Amino acid sequence: MSRRTFIKAVGGTAVGFALYTYLPGGGIQAMAEIPGGTLSPADVPKYRTALLIPPVMPRAGTLTSPGGKPVDYYEISMRQISQQILPGPLPATVVWGYGAVKAASSRGLLIHHAPSLTIEASVNRPVRVKWINDLVDAAGNFLPHLLPVDPTLHWANPPGGVADRDSRPDFTGQPTPGRYTGPVPTVTHVHGAVGVADDSDGYAEAWYLPAAADVGDFAKTGTWYDFFAGKAKSSYGVTWGPGFATFQYPNLNRASTIWYHDHTLGMTRLNVYAGPAGFFILRGGPAGDKTVLDSRTGTVAVLPGPAPIEGDKFPPNKTYYEIPIAIQDRAFNTDGSLFYPDTRRFFDELVDPYIPDGPFSPIWNPEFFGNMIMANGNTWPFQTVEKRRYRFRFLNGCQSRFLILDFSQIPGVEVWAIGNEGGFLAAPVNLTATNNNQLLMALAERADLIVDFTNVPAGTYMLGNVGPDEPYGGGLPGVDFEPADPDSTGQILQFRVVPTVAPDPTTPPRFLRLPSITPLPTATVTRQLALIEEADVGLTEAEEEVEGPVEALLGIVQSGFTVKKLWMDDVTENPALGATEIWEIYNTTADAHPMHIHEVAFEVVNRQDILSDDDTGAVQIAPGSVPLPPESWETGVKDTVTALPGQVTRLRLRFSTPGQFVWHCHIVEHEDNEMMRPYRIGPPQPGQPA
C-alpha cells in the first residue's frame, strides 16, 4: 500500500507527515504508540525529582563600549557532560550543555547543564558573549556526535573541506553513506533577539568546529564565518579564533522571554536534542514589569516574584515565585543514553530507494516525537507551590510536538496569559474563563502565565498536555485528533499544593493594566510565501510502493502558483532597510508549521482559508472566506507563529537592521531539510559570500 493509497483509505488528505507503519500481513496503520528507545515510559517513575529552577548565568565582567555604554560580558562554552535526567536509580544521561567558563564574582556558578543557566539582561544594555565550542575529550581530541548525523542533507558538511562545506554532497556512484562521525560544528542563535547584527545572529553557515588537536582536513568554519569575523572586529573590536566566536546583542526588544540554542546548518535537530539551550530573559525598559499598573489604584502592580538572580546559592536557599519552565520531549535507552533514530525506517519503514539511488535520505526522519516529557531537564518532575499566585514562563522546546498545556485537572485553579514571545500582551487573557484552562503552544513559542493556586485544595495535581502524539493540523483534542497518551506524553509535571507561608502580596491578574503596544507602521509591500511538502519526487511506478515525504520546503507564490525554493537558491525575500511589509504565508501542506523569522518581532494580522492544488501548485483565497483575527494570546508582538494547514497566515513586519538572516519552520526536522531560507535586509554587503 502506497502512502497515497493509505491516505485515501483513512478518508482524507490531512495526514501530512503523520507516523504510520506496515503491518506484518500487509497494509498500513497509524501507529498507536509512540516508538522510542529501549527504555519504556512505563518503567520510568514519575514525580520523584524536584523541578530544577535554572540559576542565572554569571557574567565574566562588564566592559565599556567606545561610546561609554556598559556591556555585560560572558564566556560560555558547550561541553559534553553526564546529567541525571531520569530519576535515580536509573542511569545518568550523557548530554551537551552550555555553561560559563569564567565568572567575575566568586559566587558565580560555573555549571554546565541542559537546559543551561539563564542569561538575565536589561533592555538597551548590550550583552557580549564569547561562544566556545568545547566538544573535545580530556586529551583535546574532538568528540563525535552523540546522535546519528545524516550526511546526505544540505548541511554544514565539514568533511567537504572549504570547497564543499555548506552543501548537499553528491554520492553518485557510491554506496549509501552511513552516519558522520567527525568533529561537531556549532553556532549559537539567540531566538527572538531584535536588532542584532547578522554577524551575531547565529547564521546557519557561520558555524565552527572545536579547537581540537585532530581536526585534520575538515573545514574548520562555515562559509560565512570569516566574513562575519571581519564585521565583528570592525563593529566591536573583537577577534574570533579557533573554536569560538564573539557575538553582541543590543537587547532592543521589549522586556520578554527569549532563549538561546544551536543553529548549525542541517544539524539543528541533533545539536539541540543533545541538550544545549537556555533562557535569555530581558527586563526593564518602557514595557518592563515596573510599567504594569494596578487598575484599582493606578500604582505599579505587584507581579509574582522573586526569580533567580546572579549570585544566588545553588541549590537555592530561598523560594522563587517566578519560574521559567522549558518543556521538551525525549526518548531513552535502558543504559540512560538519549535515543534518536538512526534510520529512516523508524518513521515509515521506508528502506529504499535511499540516496544516491533514490530521493530519500537514509537517516533523516520527517518528524520525531519523543515518548517521554522533560521539564527543565528532568523527566516528569514535581514543583511544590503554595496556595497563591505564581508566574511561569513556559517554552515549548520539543522537536516536532505541538503542546496544548492543560490545567483543567487542577480544581479551583485560575490561569491568565499576560505575555508571549514579544513581551506583555495588550491585556491579560483569562484562559480559565475563555479557553477551558488550556493553551496551544507551537514549537519555540513562549507563554508568560500567572497561575493562581489560591483556591486549589492542598494536594497533588498534574499539569497535562492534550496536544497530539503526531503532527498537529489544527482543531480540538478528542474531536479532530487523539490527545497525547495520558500515561506518558499527556503528563508534564506535578504540582504539590501546600498552604501559604505568608499573605500573597501580588495583584490579581484581572486588575493588571499591561503596558501599551505601539503598532507597526502601515505596510508598503506585500509578499506571498508558501509552505510546501515534497513527496513522490522522481519515483518510478515500482518505487511508489515506498513513497513518502522527501522534505519540506519554503517557496513563493507567483501568479497564483507556488514556486519551490531551496536553501541554496538566490534570496527572494529582500526587504528594504526600514521597510514595513505584510508577509502572507500560504500553507499548502497538511500540517501546521511554527514559522520563525530571525531579527524581527512581528504582528499577527489575521488568517484566512485557502484552496490549493498539489498537482499544479495553484493556490488561491477560498471563495467566500473571511479573515480570522489572531488568538487573544497572539496580541502584541511575536517571533514565532503557527501557520495552520489550508490557511494563509498574514504578518506585519518592520525591517530595521541590514544584513543576512533566515526564516524557517521550527519543527527542527523540517528546518534541517530545506524548510529554511535566507533573507536579506537591504542591499548585498561588499565582500559577502556568494
Side-chain angles (χ1 to χ4, degrees):
M1 185 183 287
S2 72
R3 181 172 187 268
R4 181 180 294 111
T5 305
F6 166 68
I7 292 173
K8 289 180 179 178
V10 298
T13 59
V15 176
F17 279 13
L19 298 167
Y20 56 92
T21 188
Y22 288 82
L23 297 171
I28 301 177
Q29 72 173 16
M31 290 183 176
E33 296 181 357
I34 315 167
T38 55
L39 182 62
S40 168
D43 295 331
V44 178
K46 296 181 178 67
Y47 314 129
R48 299 285 183 85
T49 308
L51 178 74
L52 173 80
I53 301 176
V56 171
M57 188 78 73
R59 290 171 292 179
T62 301
L63 310 175
T64 302
S65 68
K69 195 171 188 177
V71 177
D72 291 329
Y73 176 61
Y74 297 81
E75 293 189 3
I76 300 173
S77 72
M78 184 192 298
R79 290 179 180 168
Q80 184 164 296
I81 56 176
S82 179
Q83 184 172 311
Q84 193 67 49
I85 294 175
L86 301 163
L90 291 170
T93 304
V94 175
V95 294
W96 297 343
Y98 291 110
V101 297
K102 182 180 178 182
S105 168
S106 60
R107 295 187 297 173
L109 298 172
L110 302 182
I111 297 173
H112 285 71
H113 194 271
S116 306
L117 278 64
T118 300
I119 296 176
E120 285 272 348
S122 300
V123 171
N124 291 322
R125 181 180 173 113
V127 162
R128 182 180 299 174
V129 183
K130 180 180 180 181
W131 297 107
I132 304 165
N133 182 343
D134 199 20
L135 294 175
V136 296
D137 63 19
N141 296 320
F142 72 78
L143 290 165
H145 213 294
L146 297 174
L147 307 168
V149 178
D150 192 327
T152 69
L153 304 178
H154 192 138
W155 70 299
N157 192 27
V162 172
D164 291 321
R165 60 188 172 179
D166 298 316
S167 69
R168 184 185 289 271
D170 183 1
F171 293 98
T172 303
Q174 304 176 44
T176 296
R179 63 193 287 176
Y180 166 74
T181 57
V184 178
T186 67
V187 63
T188 304
H189 167 58
V190 174
H191 181 122
V194 170
V196 63
D198 56 359
D199 57 77
S200 298
D201 186 53
Y203 193 68
E205 292 186 3
W207 52 265
Y208 44 95
L209 298 184
D214 57 345
V215 168
D217 294 331
F218 291 99
K220 297 176 179 61
T221 59
T223 305
W224 282 72
Y225 179 93
D226 287 341
F227 176 73
F228 285 152
K231 286 191 66 176
K233 185 170 182 60
S234 175
S235 299
Y236 323 118
V238 298
T239 300
W240 297 7
F244 74 91
T246 302
F247 294 171
Q248 184 148 319
Y249 309 97
N251 295 326
L252 303 183
N253 308 50
R254 303 169 80 228
S256 54
T257 308
I258 59 181
W259 63 300
Y260 59 98
H261 61 81
D262 185 82
H263 213 277
T264 303
L265 183 66
M267 294 178 64
T268 299
R269 71 196 184 285
L270 304 173
N271 288 5
V272 174
Y273 190 85
F279 285 96
F280 189 123
I281 296 179
L282 273 172
R283 300 187 186 274
D289 290 1
K290 293 183 179 179
T291 65
V292 179
L293 301 181
D294 186 325
S295 63
R296 299 169 297 180
T297 63
T299 58
V300 175
V302 179
L303 297 174
I309 60 174
E310 186 177 1
D312 279 356
K313 290 184 177 181
F314 186 76
N317 60 353
K318 62 183 180 182
T319 302
Y320 299 121
Y321 298 100
E322 180 191 326
I323 303 172
I325 302 176
I327 303 170
Q328 299 166 297
D329 57 349
R330 295 290 186 269
F332 300 87
N333 295 305
T334 52
D335 64 358
S337 62
L338 289 170
F339 169 82
Y340 191 87
D342 62 359
T343 172
R344 170 62 185 260
R345 293 189 63 176
F346 178 85
F347 182 77
D348 52 11
E349 288 293 328
L350 194 152
V351 296
D352 186 75
Y354 287 155
I355 291 172
D357 300 320
F360 298 103
S361 292
I363 298 176
W364 175 79
N365 279 245
E367 277 112 8
F368 177 72
F369 294 83
N371 56 18
M372 303 190 207
I373 297 293
M374 299 191 315
N376 286 354
N378 290 109
T379 53
W380 297 299
F382 69 87
Q383 173 63 33
T384 299
V385 295
E386 300 169 32
K387 290 166 61 70
R388 53 158 292 164
R389 286 177 281 275
Y390 284 74
R391 183 180 185 181
F392 297 122
R393 298 176 183 256
F394 284 101
L395 159 68
N396 181 349
C398 296
Q399 296 291 112
S400 303
R401 178 186 299 278
F402 280 71
L403 298 168
I404 300 179
L405 303 185
D406 182 20
F407 293 85
S408 65
Q409 298 182 50
I410 308 175
V413 76
E414 192 169 87
V415 183
W416 292 74
I418 61 169
N420 55 24
E421 303 96 84
F424 288 118
L425 304 176
V429 177
N430 187 339
L431 298 176
T432 301
T434 65
N435 218 48
N436 298 318
N437 267 327
Q438 295 177 351
L439 178 66
L440 172 68
M441 290 192 69
L443 290 300
E445 283 190 320
R446 283 85 72 203
D448 193 348
L449 305 183
I450 292 181
V451 180
D452 192 344
F453 296 95
T454 301
N455 297 316
V456 177
T460 58
Y461 306 96
M462 186 260 293
L463 170 60
N465 164 43
V466 292
D469 285 329
E470 62 183 15
Y472 175 70
L476 299 174
V479 178
D480 301 289
F481 56 83
E482 191 71 22
D485 180 357
D487 294 324
S488 58
T489 51
Q491 300 184 41
I492 295 175
L493 62 87
Q494 182 188 75
F495 290 117
R496 299 181 177 180
V497 181
V498 299
T500 57
V501 297
D504 186 354
T506 63
T507 305
R510 65 183 180 275
F511 297 122
L512 295 178
R513 186 185 303 159
L514 303 179
S516 61
I517 298 170
T518 303
L520 293 175
T522 301
T524 56
V525 173
T526 297
R527 295 184 188 273
Q528 294 185 327
L529 309 168
L531 312 182
I532 306 164
E533 175 184 330
E534 188 72 273
D536 316 330
V537 177
L539 295 179
T540 66
E541 183 176 349
E543 290 169 347
E544 285 198 359
E545 290 303 314
V546 292
E547 64 179 288
V550 176
E551 59 195 9
L553 293 167
L554 302 179
I556 60 174
V557 178
Q558 195 170 61
S559 302
F561 291 86
T562 59
V563 180
K564 301 169 185 176
K565 296 292 181 179
L566 300 173
W567 170 257
M568 62 192 282
D569 290 334
D570 289 342
V571 166
T572 49
E573 289 71 61
N574 184 199
L577 181 62
T580 303
E581 299 189 352
I582 296 291
W583 283 21
E584 297 185 337
I585 302 175
Y586 287 77
N587 186 353
T588 68
T589 79
D591 305 328
H593 296 271
M595 302 308 300
H596 172 47
I597 303 166
H598 285 217
E599 164 53 28
V600 297
F602 52 75
E603 297 171 357
V604 181
V605 178
N606 58 44
R607 296 179 176 90
Q608 191 168 359
D609 290 342
I610 62 172
L611 300 177
S612 61
D613 187 316
D614 291 342
D615 294 326
T616 66
V619 63
Q620 65 175 15
I621 300 297
S625 66
V626 295
L628 303 172
E631 301 289 351
S632 55
W633 57 86
E634 294 181 311
T635 61
V637 292
K638 290 174 60 64
D639 59 48
T640 306
V641 67
T642 298
L644 290 167
Q647 289 189 342
V648 56
T649 301
R650 298 185 178 95
L651 312 175
R652 182 180 289 109
L653 317 90
R654 186 176 187 182
F655 302 93
S656 302
T657 305
Q660 186 95 352
F661 303 95
V662 300
W663 67 289
H664 61 87
C665 174
H666 221 286
I667 295 174
V668 283
E669 283 78 15
H670 294 183
E671 170 188 340
D672 278 349
N673 194 6
E674 297 298 348
M675 210 168 194
M676 179 168 68
R677 286 278 291 149
Y679 85 94
R680 186 176 63 245
I681 302 173
Q685 302 169 76
Q688 74 172 47

